[in-house]
Amino acid sequence: MATAFVKEILPPSLTSASSQPPLFDGTTRLYTSYQCPFAQRVWITRNYKGLQDKIKLVAIDLGDRPSWYKENVYPENKVPSLEHNGKVVGESLDLIKYVDANFEGPSLFPNDPAKREFGEKLVSEVDSVTRELFSSLKGDAVQQTSSVFDSLENALGKFDDGPFFLGQFSWVDIAYIPFIERFHIVLAEVFKHDITEGRPKLRAWIEDINKIDAYAQTRIDPKEIVELFKKRFLTQQ
């Protein structure tokens, strides 16, 4: 089980007018955005391992990001990034592994070799899955995403010791859920289509992840997700 969840007050997002926090002063900082699904992965990992007091959130306003972030913190100018032990590291999938390996708390990587192998396969495919989902918004989103969700339904049937991809909650679920949750909401609201219809394992997976406190706090308002998608990807809708 995850460490007991610590409810926290989220800091406001920093803008171009905001001062830079101290750098390399011994504080571990997760530079994030509350709207970014990539950054959400590491935020979930932090919460699940009970590291709210060990890793400080620094939220960046991606629409008005401070210049010091690129100049002084992370030249890639993306989120997430993690300031730890005198260096800054990035890339969300790498950071899930980094946080799991370098901090205490329940491991997100199973010991079972078969589960580890299947997990690596699924995560190696997540970028192509998300690209396919987003590209579908330019065409018939319901039809074009059907095979993706069918594939996830099949993958969720691999292990029967729990509702998650590897049976128990793991880094694979964290890699996928920020994107699947968004498309679940957007396809229902904009296209009047329920991706879980006829896919009981996918339905159970989403329901059970939403029961995990570490994930629940990272969710943003569904209405905000729909507005973001309409603004960025659905201008013709």
Side-chain angles (χ1 to χ4, degrees), residues 59-165:
I60 300 292
D61 183 337
L62 298 182
D64 183 27
R65 70 188 78 192
S67 59
W68 50 256
Y69 182 63
K70 179 178 181 179
E71 292 166 2
N72 303 329
V73 180
Y74 191 49
E76 297 285 338
N77 204 26
K78 301 185 297 184
V79 292
S81 69
L82 185 75
E83 174 190 340
H84 181 238
N85 281 353
K87 64 182 183 294
V88 177
V89 289
E91 299 301 328
S92 62
L93 295 175
D94 293 339
L95 282 173
I96 297 173
K97 288 185 173 182
Y98 183 93
V99 171
D100 194 77
N102 287 278
F103 295 87
E104 70 270 19
S107 177
L108 287 157
F109 293 80
N111 292 322
D112 184 318
K115 289 188 174 186
R116 290 185 78 95
E117 182 180 355
F118 189 60
E120 291 285 354
K121 176 180 180 294
L122 288 174
V123 173
S124 74
E125 296 168 350
V126 70
D127 286 344
S128 62
V129 167
T130 56
R131 278 195 299 271
E132 193 168 344
L133 290 175
F134 281 105
S135 67
S136 76
L137 298 174
K138 301 172 184 175
D140 184 337
V142 173
Q143 181 183 14
Q144 289 177 236
T145 58
S146 180
S147 62
V148 172
F149 297 123
D150 285 345
S151 177
L152 295 179
E153 177 75 8
N154 290 335
L156 285 163
K158 175 78 169 177
F159 299 101
D160 60 5
D161 57 331
F164 304 107
F165 280 111

Side-chain angles (χ1 to χ4, degrees), residues 48-64:
Y48 189 79
K49 292 177 74 69
L51 300 169
Q52 289 89 337
D53 293 334
K54 301 288 179 67
I55 300 178
K56 180 180 179 181
L57 292 179
V58 179
I60 300 292
D61 183 337
L62 298 182
D64 183 27

